[in-house]
Amino acid sequence: MYNNFLDLEKKRADLNPVHVWPVPYQGTVSFGDGTKDGPEAILKASYQIETYDAELKADISDLCTFITLPFQRPNVSGPGHLYEEMQEFLKNFDPARDFFLTLGGEHSISFPLVDFYAKQYPDLAVIQIDAHPDLRQNFEGSTYSHACVMARINDIGLKTIPIGIRSCSRKESEFIKDNPDNIMPFYSWDLPSPLETAGRIKDFIGNRPIYISFDADGLDPSIMPGTGTPEPGGLDYSWVKDFWKALWPGPKLVGMDFCELAPQPGSQVSESTAVKCILKILTTYFSRRKL
Ligand SMILES: [Mn+2]
């Protein structure tokens, strides 16, 4: 059983605590399956990954202490119930202090976390890496479906920045166009450089803190084949890592998730990419943030 993210022995009280919360929820995936196996695959892959980042010249084990929580038990009664169960669990934590790295599971796991942080930070902005805007008002009979997650986040008045979008309905497309004050989209066919993207986002959000919701399918399927809804033409690894480097020093990061990973039997490419993407965010942020 792999139940200790990165398999780090030492738990240093002087480092930034990161709660790693595996939520293997798979209830409403549209196509393909296997997101319930995402958290375990990420934890397992993390045992093989170097904690030192040679490019950033920083070691995540000198920056953060990871506290891996027990797996959230599977819930089969739908994403609305999942939302309530996750909210109940989060009551034991303080959004001002507790940094969560939540491992999905499908994208519906993000809203309870965003809602948790928004209570502390009503001006929170959400950076969403994703092939899809997830702006449907409801899907398969639920308003809490993975396809609706960003609509719920917009409902509570938060600014959102979807990056890597390349598949959306006409309605979602129009919704984005009609809400320029709340949504700043970066379509994958029209993506500026990492530096320019980060600059535009900083102008858009000002001093707001951010939450990152990272849907695996935002990445190109060549580096992330393990997802239920692969879309060609996605983000490449270099662009994403350079984007975090351009973003920080910059906004306060309150928490993040990585979701929609559906591991493929016989290949470790997807979960290894997932761990590298997570570590790049955390190492960049915690080594560069202004204290
Ligand atoms: Mn997606």
Side-chain angles (χ1 to χ4, degrees), residues 154-175:
N154 277 291
D155 285 349
I156 58 172
L158 307 187
K159 282 185 191 284
T160 61
I161 302 106
I163 304 176
I165 304 301
R166 55 201 183 276
S167 173
C168 55
S169 69
R170 188 185 298 269
K171 239 181 161 170
E172 289 176 305
S173 204
E174 282 165 3
F175 186 83

Side-chain angles (χ1 to χ4, degrees), residues 107 130-132 134 215 217 229 260:
H107 211 161
D130 204 331
H132 316 94
D134 295 339
D215 180 326
D217 66 34
T229 44
E260 297 284 350

Side-chain angles (χ1 to χ4, degrees), residues 145-193:
S145 156
H146 65 97
C148 312
V149 61
M150 300 310 289
R152 298 293 76 76
I153 290 171
N154 277 291
D155 285 349
I156 58 172
L158 307 187
K159 282 185 191 284
T160 61
I161 302 106
I163 304 176
I165 304 301
R166 55 201 183 276
S167 173
C168 55
S169 69
R170 188 185 298 269
K171 239 181 161 170
E172 289 176 305
S173 204
E174 282 165 3
F175 186 83
I176 293 171
K177 214 170 92 220
D178 292 342
N179 286 279
D181 294 340
N182 298 321
I183 309 176
M184 177 181 262
F186 291 91
Y187 296 99
S188 66
W189 59 79
D190 199 15
L191 196 63
S193 71

Side-chain angles (χ1 to χ4, degrees), residues 89-124:
F89 182 79
L90 288 166
K91 282 182 185 158
N92 305 310
F93 295 88
D94 177 1
R97 223 187 41 226
D98 290 316
F99 188 106
F100 273 86
L101 161 60
T102 308
L103 306 176
E106 56 171 67
H107 211 161
S108 33
I109 62 137
S110 303
F111 184 59
L113 273 302
V114 170
D115 200 29
F116 167 72
Y117 287 115
K119 290 194 171 82
Q120 178 68 30
Y121 306 104
D123 61 346
L124 188 68

